[in-house]
Each structure stands twice: as C-alpha cells, then as structure tokens.
Amino acid sequence: MKTFTRLLALLLCLPLWVAAQTKPAVTPEKLAALKQELAADIDKNAKFTQEMMDMVFSFGELGFQETETSRYLTDILKKNGFKVEMGVAGIPTAWVAKWGNGKPLIAVGSDIDCIPKASQKPGVAYYEPIIEGAPGHGEGHNSGVPLNITAVLALKKIMEREKIPGTLMLWPGVAEEQLGTKAFYVRDGYFKDVDACIFTHVGGNLGVSWGDNGMNGLVSVKFSFEGQAAHAAGAPWRGRSALDAVELMNIGWNFKREHLEPTQRSHYVVVDGGDQPNVVPSKASVWYYFRERSYPKIKALFDNGIKIANGAAMMTDTKMSYEILGSAWPGHFNRPIAEAMYENIKRVGLPQWTEEDQMLARATQKEMNAPKIEGLPTEVDTLGKPVKVSLGGGSDDIADISWSLPTVVLRFPSNMPGLPGHHWSSAITMATPIAHKGATCGAKAEAMTLLDMLVKPEIIAHAWKYYKEEQTKDTKYEPLISEKDKPAIHLNEKIMAQFRPQMKKYYYDPTKYKTYLEQLGIQYPTLRDDQKEFIKSEAAKAAEAVGNTTQKP
C-alpha cells in the first residue's frame, strides 16, 4: 500500500516537474540584463584580453611545440578555479580545463599554433620580420583562446551568483596547421559526454554559419622510402636511391591529377631528400595532403597515393612505408546553435574602428594585391548558410568534432579581409588594436550564446535534433585515423629548437610595457611613404565622389 501511495504521489507531481523543466530559467528581461552585464564585464577586461593575445603572439610556437603557450594559458585557468588535465591524447601541449558542475557540458575551443617563416612586426604594413625566417602568427591563432578565456570568466561570475548549473570545458587546437590533433581527441573520448561545442577562429568579420561550409577534408601522410647507399660517382650501380622513389612518386601523382575531380586538392613537400650529392640517398621521404569533399573521396585519393608509392618503390627496388600525420573531415555545422549565436552577433555588432585601424588595413591590402582595397568591415556578416556548389578548398579538423556532436565556429574580426592566408601578412594585425577590439567583440557574442545555451535547454535539444535527423541522417562519421595511429608530436621540434633561443628575447613583458607594440617600439600604424601617398589619394578620391553625389543637377 505504501508503494502504491508513493507512486501515486509521484504521478501527481509529474506535471509540476515537467512544467518546472520547461519553464525558462530566467525571464527575457532578466536574460537581457545579464547579457548587458556580460558585455560590460568583457569591456572592463579588455586590457586582460590584450595582454593574453600579445603574450601568445610573442611566443610564436609551431604545432605540437606550443609549450610556452599552453603553460601560460593553463596557469591563468588554474588561478581562476579550473581543473586542468595536461597531456591529453598523448600530446604534451594539449589540455582540457573544466569548471562547474552538472549538465549541460559545453566545450569551448580555439587553435594555438602558428605558421613557419611568418615572423612579422605587428602594426607594420609591409614585410618586417621580428626574426628573419622564424615562425609567427600568420594565421592569427594567438587570439582565440584568450577570447574564450575572457568570455568564460565573465560568464563564470554570473553562473556562480545566479546558481546556474552547467560545466564549461576549455581546450586548445594543437597543431591545427598539421590537422594533427582533433581526430585524436575524438578517438580517445574527450568529447564523448559533451553536449555542444563552440569553436572560435579569427577572421575579417563577425559571423557564424551552419550546414556544409564547402571546405574539403583531408588525410596527411608521410611516405618514406628506404634503399641502399653507395658512392654516387665511384659505384652508383651498387646503390638504390630512395630519392629516385620520391621523385617517381611525385611524377606519378602529377600525371594522375589530370584524371581527378576538380574538387580535389593535393600538395606535397620533400622532407628528406638525402644527405649530400655524392652519396646515393638510402632514405627519403615526401609529405602529402590529400583533400576532397567527402570521406569516400578522401579515402580514394589516399588509396591512389599508396598505389603510386608502391609503384615507385617497385621501379627503384626500394622499400616503402607510410605514416598518417593528421586528418580532417569536411565541415558541417549546427543550425540551431548558429541561429542563436547570430542573434547575439547582431546585438554586439562590430568594433568602432579608428582612422589608424583603417589605414593599416588599406595599406596592407594594397601591399598584398587584395581583390578589394576595402579596409575593415563596418557591417556584420549575414548568417552563413550551406553552400550549394563547392569546388573545394581548405580544411580544418574542427570538423571531426562537428561530426561527433553539435558544433559551430564563431568568426571574429581580429584580422582584415583580402589576405592570402598562411602568410606573414596575416600577422600584421594580430597584436594591434584591430585584433584586441575584434577579440573583445567576439568574446561578447560567445559569452551571450553560452548563457543562452545554459538557461534555454531547448537550444541544445534542438541542436541534437538537427544533428541526428539532418546532419548525420545519411552520413556517419568514420575516422581517417586508426586505433594504432599516434599524434605526430615530433613535428617542428628542430625548427623551434633553432629559433626559440632568439625568440625568447622578444617575449612580451606586460609588467614593463602596456602593449607589445610599445615593447617593440612600433609606431601604430607604420607605413612606407608610398603607402601613405596611396592612402591620401584614396581619401581624396572618396571625398571627390561624395562631393559629386551631393551636387545639385
């Protein structure tokens, strides 16, 4: 009888429990006020954001070697109450930092590595390296995690005061330029309990998109050949050249290109071509990226590459082996989260650019022969929608996470439009007011969206509905890496060992200098005389055009 009575009481309470679960955690008015509070707090911490960005910019660390960057960022998170796990997925510079309790568990990530030979003085509108030949942030990856930390710390204060349940998980994209880690994060279970993910990436405007973004996926593979050394002049007939095998593979692949679809992209670099000309190379290696628009097509390219490599080994009587160094799926991103985020993007708007900001942007665009000399944007992007036709393009391993759970990418305006990418020119803004204001703007949009996801459970519910019923209805994620593959943590060791001692002399010291520009003694912006003349002439033309339109007929 007692059991029946308890069951009856539970059934009677069930409607009340359901109503409590579906009732908004906060009223629309309260939510709007909390968002205003977030924006004000993020503005208040703009100096904190700037210092983080400038510090990471000064480290300039290549993929898998982001030791200073990871140490610096995780120390900040530890001081703010986050529990940090280092060395995740067998990657020394990878980490996960968590704070909060209960559901939802929301991941917040961004990349931290930089580009080879992209050292560049910030705020200078022409090539002027800090250290000739050194790596630098020519992709702007010094900005995303500082943005995330700023946003999450502002949100953390509100969650504590308002007693909002949920767990925040910050994480870095290590070696994104090698597409080297995110598939391993997924494989090793670091996202298995995550409810949603917001990723941030620097761009030329403030925006977000959903659906197929038109990018390619890829597999990154190093093919190695082993032959027999011999005196290249005295007894070449006794040698078997591994370099010949590399060259024959490349020739074979280049002939194969004619018969591949236009959506493919494939590129290679010879990473080991032997030691010296008078020794027949006993070992040689070539590193390939095979890119396509779908998993089956990527796999087909890879299989063709293996066939051609085997053929080259047969022709040269050498042995061939290969190693997967990284991978990425084509991107597909979540509609409900993107739509919620876009509402916050419109609320935040773009930063107020100064005349100096626009001068730097226009001069750099001119220097780089940009398609348009348009300066910095003054209106936010429209909400990006799925591409109807794509002939392929770049890749990003955030897609492996987006195919594992609902994910979006927030693009924030810390750089300028019209640059070639993966280039020293993309480092010009990244420790200047343009980057700092762009990240502050992005932090507001991110923090507001995270708050929405915490207090409006329907957003994540709808996100999973889209993920299950639309995104993965016909396409299921299959990793391009196997259980046996390991992260290529040896990559870039030699380059960083060569340049790090020199780069340490230029690490940012915020206790002595307000900004990295000040530490380097750079006047903002720095333009050549011909660039200044160009800016003046453009301004004169614009003034004349305005005058012509206001003249009476």
Side-chain angles (χ1 to χ4, degrees):
M1 185 67 182
K2 288 182 179 180
T3 303
F4 174 77
T5 303
R6 289 174 181 171
L7 181 61
L8 181 62
L10 286 171
L11 290 172
L12 290 172
C13 290
L14 185 60
L16 296 174
W17 182 86
V18 171
Q21 300 307 304
T22 56
K23 183 180 178 180
V26 295
T27 64
E29 296 76 16
K30 178 67 176 292
L31 182 58
L34 291 177
K35 288 184 178 182
Q36 287 183 341
E37 182 181 340
L38 282 172
D41 190 36
I42 289 167
D43 276 331
K44 182 180 176 182
N45 284 290
K47 171 63 177 168
F48 171 59
T49 309
Q50 169 256 309
E51 287 188 1
M52 286 191 288
M53 293 173 68
D54 286 7
M55 185 68 79
V56 178
F57 183 93
S58 74
F59 293 148
E61 296 175 303
L62 294 169
F64 290 114
Q65 310 305 320
E66 311 96 329
T67 53
E68 300 279 11
T69 300
S70 285
R71 183 185 302 115
Y72 170 72
L73 295 172
T74 55
D75 281 349
I76 292 171
L77 291 167
K78 289 174 185 176
K79 289 175 184 176
N80 284 278
F82 281 74
K83 183 179 180 181
V84 177
E85 179 185 354
M86 296 296 299
V88 301
I91 303 160
T93 56
W95 45 270
V96 166
K98 291 183 179 180
W99 175 86
N101 60 81
K103 289 282 193 173
L105 171 55
I106 305 175
V108 182
S110 196
D111 301 319
I112 58 173
D113 59 328
C114 75
I115 299 288
K117 297 182 177 66
S119 177
Q120 172 65 26
K121 290 181 180 178
V124 179
Y126 50 86
Y127 182 55
E128 186 70 24
I130 299 172
I131 300 170
E132 183 68 46
H137 274 287
E139 175 73 0
H141 287 174
N142 62 301
S143 54
V145 174
L147 180 161
N148 293 345
I149 291 175
T150 302
V152 163
L153 292 185
L155 180 63
K156 178 175 177 281
K157 294 176 187 177
I158 289 177
M159 291 176 68
E160 289 173 324
R161 188 189 70 218
E162 302 292 330
K163 295 181 172 54
I164 298 173
T167 304
L168 304 173
M169 181 180 106
L170 273 72
W171 58 278
V174 168
E176 187 276 333
E177 300 302 341
Q178 288 74 42
L179 292 306
T181 56
K182 297 184 186 76
F184 291 97
Y185 296 166
V186 172
R187 185 194 70 180
D188 293 352
Y190 288 96
F191 285 83
K192 66 179 180 180
D193 297 320
V194 175
D195 295 297
C197 177
I198 293 179
F199 194 75
T200 59
H201 197 284
V202 63
N205 204 321
L206 185 63
V208 67
S209 61
W210 63 271
D212 180 356
N213 66 356
M215 296 176 72
N216 282 356
L218 70 73
V219 61
S220 165
V221 191
K222 183 176 76 170
F223 293 91
S224 297
F225 297 87
E226 184 175 352
Q228 174 66 49
H231 194 298
W237 50 86
R238 298 185 65 178
R240 300 192 305 279
S241 175
L243 179 58
D244 286 353
V246 164
E247 292 188 286
L248 285 167
M249 179 183 178
N250 294 342
I251 290 169
W253 186 260
N254 287 331
F255 274 100
K256 181 70 175 176
R257 289 179 194 274
E258 180 186 357
H259 311 289
L260 298 174
E261 295 185 39
T263 48
Q264 75 88 27
R265 301 287 191 279
S266 50
H267 359 268
Y268 58 81
V269 292
V270 176
V271 291
D272 180 5
D275 300 305
Q276 58 192 56
N278 65 336
V279 178
V280 173
S282 61
K283 293 184 179 179
S285 301
V286 60
W287 183 7
Y288 270 77
Y289 277 11
F290 299 112
R291 304 186 197 244
E292 253 292 4
R293 291 281 292 126
S294 68
Y295 172 85
K297 291 183 178 181
I298 298 166
K299 190 70 169 57
L301 283 183
F302 185 18
D303 290 342
N304 281 328
I306 293 172
K307 289 178 183 177
I308 291 172
N310 278 324
M314 290 177 64
M315 286 188 284
T316 53
D317 196 18
T318 57
K319 295 179 181 179
M320 187 278 290
S321 61
Y322 64 85
E323 175 188 5
I324 294 178
L325 301 180
S327 68
W329 261 59
H332 189 117
F333 299 99
N334 193 265
R335 182 173 186 172
I337 300 176
E339 290 176 340
M341 175 171 278
Y342 190 67
E343 292 304 309
N344 290 311
I345 286 172
K346 291 189 291 185
R347 175 191 291 264
V348 171
L350 288 170
Q352 293 297 311
W353 307 119
T354 64
E355 182 182 351
E356 290 78 11
D357 297 334
Q358 293 287 9
M359 284 175 61
L360 179 65
R362 289 179 178 275
T364 303
Q365 289 166 346
K366 172 66 174 175
E367 184 78 3
M368 299 311 302
N369 297 312
K372 293 181 181 179
I373 312 300
E374 57 186 343
L376 300 167
T378 55
E379 296 181 0
V380 296
D381 269 349
T382 57
L383 175 63
K385 297 180 180 179
V387 297
K388 295 180 178 179
V389 177
S390 171
L391 291 178
S395 310
D396 193 323
D397 54 353
I398 185 59
D400 287 77
I401 292 170
S402 79
W403 282 98
S404 303
L405 66 141
T407 301
V408 297
V409 177
L410 169 66
R411 301 183 304 278
F412 56 96
S414 285
N415 219 311
M416 63 188 83
L419 302 184
H422 289 184
H423 190 264
W424 55 262
S425 60
S426 292
I428 288 174
T429 67
M430 293 313 303
T432 73
I434 294 173
H436 305 147
K437 287 184 280 192
T440 294
C441 160
K444 294 176 187 178
E446 178 174 68
M448 292 177 186
T449 306
L450 287 168
L451 180 60
D452 282 335
M453 294 164 74
L454 290 169
V455 302
K456 296 179 178 178
E458 65 271 19
I459 293 177
I460 292 179
H462 293 158
W464 277 99
K465 187 175 188 296
Y466 174 86
Y467 172 81
K468 292 177 179 178
E469 296 181 9
E470 295 188 48
Q471 179 181 346
T472 62
K473 179 182 178 182
D474 300 315
T475 303
K476 306 300 181 184
Y477 176 70
E478 297 179 67
L480 285 155
I481 59 170
S482 71
E483 291 296 325
K484 295 180 180 179
D485 291 317
K486 296 180 180 180
I489 60 175
H490 62 281
L491 291 177
N492 297 314
E493 282 180 345
K494 292 181 180 179
I495 298 174
M496 289 309 303
Q498 176 187 352
F499 286 105
R500 197 186 295 275
Q502 301 173 63
M503 295 171 70
K504 283 184 177 181
K505 300 173 186 177
Y506 295 94
Y507 284 177
Y508 175 46
D509 185 351
T511 66
K512 294 182 179 179
Y513 304 97
K514 292 180 181 179
T515 66
Y516 197 44
L517 288 173
E518 180 184 340
Q519 179 170 325
L520 295 176
I522 296 170
Q523 182 179 352
Y524 179 76
T526 296
L527 279 61
R528 290 191 311 263
D529 288 344
D530 64 299
Q531 293 176 318
K532 293 176 184 177
E533 287 301 317
F534 169 76
I535 296 297
K536 287 181 182 178
S537 67
E538 288 290 298
K541 290 177 184 177
E544 183 180 354
V546 171
N548 290 337
T549 59
T550 57
Q551 288 180 0
K552 294 182 179 181

